[in-house]
Amino acid sequence: MDDSKKTILIVDDEKTTVEMLVYNLQREGYNTLEAGDGEQAVAIALNEKPDLVLLDIMLPKMDGLAVCKRIRQSLNIPILMISAKDEEIDKILGLELGADDYITKPFSVRELMARVKANLRKAEIVAQSLEDGDSDKEEGEHVITVGELTIDLNKFEVKVRGEVIDLTLREFEVIKYLASQPGQVVTRETLLEKVWGYEYYGDIRTVDVTVRRIREKIERDTSNPKILITKRGVGYYIASK
């Protein structure tokens, strides 16, 4: 295995799907690992520490949602859920468990590759900023404060009314992007491009689900949000006061 290449773990019990993914990913220059059931997927992920996981929801022994939760407890790597058309609830659950996004079967190879590249690129940028630690910045420059919201960019930490909020990396990226321009409405499409890295592909419902999850963690009353506000028909913004 070429250590200089990114490694992708493919988790699916459909042999034809695995073969198609292996062929196309290797052609794009990635190393691949394969798992045919949930238990094997967790074992390989924790042992090999791949750079990204393509994870089908319907799996023998342990379903994809449980696998996602288990991997996310130990590794902060991009997880792209693969679901069937009728698994709407599962898609959302997958995101809530820490998946970065989902793609539905049948999908085009081109779309999948775009998603893989975008997720890997984003993970690399985040890892680099963590490594650098913004050490050249003056104290206070790495902190964004808007009303009751405080974001420490060095620690990847969000506080609301002084209390630390447990956010996934993607949730953190969304709130950081919005808080860096308080009061300014940002469209779902812009969030998909800037936070997920998807210029042409991606489902805007992914943004809505992520925003809903953030609200559940930071708002006193999710039906009447005071921090992360919806501009109906346009997008979202962080209240400037």
Side-chain angles (χ1 to χ4, degrees):
M1 193 179 282
D2 187 342
D3 289 341
S4 66
K5 294 179 180 180
K6 298 285 186 187
T7 298
I8 296 173
L9 171 59
I10 302 160
V11 188
D12 201 310
D13 62 333
E14 291 179 15
K15 200 164 186 284
T16 52
T17 302
V18 173
E19 286 171 355
M20 179 271 289
L21 290 172
V22 167
Y23 172 77
N24 284 286
L25 287 165
Q26 289 185 355
R27 196 176 63 171
E28 289 288 324
Y30 299 112
N31 291 322
T32 56
L33 298 164
E34 300 105 57
D37 65 60
E39 289 177 1
Q40 189 184 20
V42 171
I44 292 174
L46 299 187
N47 192 43
E48 300 291 338
K49 298 180 175 58
D51 297 290
L52 180 142
V53 181
L54 286 175
L55 178 59
D56 192 34
I57 286 179
M58 298 300 290
L59 293 169
K61 296 188 181 179
M62 183 191 292
D63 70 27
L65 301 174
V67 173
C68 177
K69 193 172 184 179
R70 182 66 192 84
I71 292 174
R72 184 56 79 224
Q73 285 169 355
S74 304
L75 300 173
N76 203 352
I77 55 175
I79 298 175
L80 185 56
M81 303 290 284
I82 301 172
S83 70
K85 285 284 186 192
D86 59 352
E87 288 166 345
E88 192 66 32
I89 295 168
D90 282 347
K91 288 178 192 172
I92 293 168
L93 271 173
L95 290 168
E96 290 176 353
L97 289 168
D100 293 276
D101 199 7
Y102 63 85
I103 187 168
T104 52
K105 290 179 178 178
F107 49 80
S108 73
V109 170
R110 190 177 168 209
E111 179 183 1
L112 182 77
M113 291 305 158
R115 301 273 192 109
V116 166
K117 285 174 184 171
N119 274 290
L120 287 170
R121 187 167 61 242
K122 195 75 197 175
E124 215 163 57
I125 292 166
V126 169
Q128 188 59 52
S129 64
L130 271 175
E131 205 173 281
D132 295 345
D134 293 329
S135 53
D136 55 334
K137 289 191 174 183
E138 293 293 323
E139 186 65 36
E141 272 189 46
H142 59 266
V143 176
I144 300 172
T145 303
V146 186
E148 298 178 316
L149 188 67
T150 305
I151 303 171
D152 189 318
L153 304 179
N154 279 5
K155 295 179 183 174
F156 276 67
E157 184 179 83
V158 172
K159 289 182 180 178
V160 177
R161 298 176 287 274
E163 183 185 341
V164 176
I165 306 299
D166 183 24
L167 298 179
T168 67
L169 200 52
R170 193 70 63 169
E171 290 163 357
F172 177 86
E173 289 289 315
V174 168
I175 206 164
K176 180 182 83 170
Y177 187 79
L178 292 171
S180 65
Q181 44 201 331
Q184 188 172 321
V185 180
V186 179
T187 66
R188 293 170 174 84
E189 289 78 7
T190 300
L191 282 169
L192 263 182
E193 182 183 341
K194 300 298 184 184
V195 177
W196 278 262
Y198 302 156
E199 290 179 40
Y200 308 108
Y201 299 107
D203 188 334
I204 60 169
R205 286 174 298 177
T206 307
V207 178
D208 297 333
V209 170
T210 306
V211 165
R212 196 191 82 220
R213 289 292 296 160
I214 295 169
R215 279 196 180 130
E216 286 172 1
K217 296 176 181 182
I218 68 172
E219 300 284 358
R220 284 196 171 108
D221 179 3
T222 54
S223 62
N224 185 26
K226 301 294 186 186
I227 302 172
L228 207 175
I229 314 296
T230 301
K231 179 73 171 176
R232 194 169 294 283
V234 185
Y236 300 104
Y237 67 96
I238 295 289
S240 51
K241 289 182 181 178

